[in-house]
Amino acid sequence: MQQTTPTWRRAMAATALAAAVVQGIARAPHARDYTSQTWRGAPDPFDNALLGAMGAAMIAGPALYATGSLRRLDYPLPPTGRRLLAAAGVAAQAAGLWLFHRSHADLGRNWTPHVELRDDQGLVTDGVYARIRHPMYASQLVTQAGVACLLQNAVAGPASFAAFLVLYLRRAPREESLMRARFGPIRDEYARRTGGVWPRFTRERRA
């Protein structure tokens, strides 16, 4: 197997790092709206630590891959396999970043970085939320999987995906409970026709 060149490493690292930059740009206006509103709830220190770990991994992973400091842990792939995996990574990143933007746009002023609600908050069920209840989490799963394909290394590649997965498994059930307590039967009906991070396609019953 041919080893990856410094040029390849830098190109893949830059492509992976672009996800963090694009996400920051897409989220910036919503973060400004968030700070201008009053929310009920307190930030969870462990959630904040996981968010910090994920952000650090999104920067450190590409940096480590670019320098080749962990090259002994690179995936042993032939050149064709390496290129195909990288192409899959670019496609996953593109899809994930589009969904990240769309989920923020559809959520609007209801976005919050924590598990909390506003007094006047409504249940968003249109746009991408018409099919899945957690499109923002879905976007991160796809995007970070793309990063793992680009950074073809057993540590640098899956680092941000692993950090996000822990965050998702911790936060999603709490968000579901909070929404159920707030919206009751309306939320339950919404949950019956939607998936969590994967669309639920149901066939209409014939009379």
Side-chain angles (χ1 to χ4, degrees):
M1 304 289 179
Q2 293 181 352
Q3 292 213 347
T4 53
T5 65
T7 300
W8 170 271
R9 288 180 174 278
R10 287 192 294 269
M12 294 300 99
T15 305
L17 188 59
V21 175
V22 173
Q23 285 182 356
I25 293 172
R27 177 162 284 178
H30 301 278
R32 288 194 296 271
D33 281 344
Y34 168 78
T35 58
S36 68
Q37 301 176 70
T38 301
W39 295 81
R40 290 187 177 274
D44 183 282
F46 190 52
D47 277 2
N48 288 343
L50 289 172
L51 284 168
M54 179 182 166
M58 291 178 71
I59 304 299
L64 289 170
Y65 189 72
T67 62
S69 58
L70 298 175
R71 59 182 174 274
R72 291 184 179 179
L73 297 174
D74 283 356
Y75 306 146
L77 298 170
T80 300
R82 189 179 302 131
R83 289 191 293 269
L84 288 174
L85 192 60
V90 171
Q93 272 199 317
L97 291 172
W98 174 85
L99 185 56
F100 186 82
H101 159 72
R102 194 64 258 164
S103 58
H104 276 79
D106 292 339
L107 199 59
R109 290 175 63 83
N110 291 305
W111 176 80
T112 168
H114 309 295
V115 181
E116 56 189 355
L117 292 171
R118 287 197 327 264
D119 286 341
D120 62 342
Q121 185 163 343
L123 181 65
V124 179
T125 61
D126 54 1
V128 291
Y129 289 85
R131 287 288 185 183
I132 50 179
R133 298 188 301 282
H134 303 290
M136 208 168 297
Y137 289 153
S139 75
Q140 288 287 16
L141 287 170
V142 175
T143 300
Q144 302 314 320
V147 170
C149 291
L150 291 166
L151 308 181
Q152 297 162 9
N153 180 277
V155 172
S160 58
F161 183 90
F164 170 73
L165 189 60
V166 175
L167 178 68
Y168 166 69
L169 292 175
R170 174 179 167 79
R171 284 185 60 157
R174 289 158 53 213
E175 289 187 7
E176 293 280 5
S177 296
L178 185 66
M179 300 300 278
R180 186 180 297 111
R182 174 66 177 269
F183 298 106
I186 298 175
R187 181 266 168 203
D188 291 340
E189 172 57 30
Y190 171 59
R192 278 194 289 269
R193 66 175 187 270
T194 57
V197 293
W198 186 258
R200 178 180 296 170
F201 297 99
T202 58
R203 296 180 180 179
E204 294 183 2
R205 294 182 179 179
R206 295 182 179 179

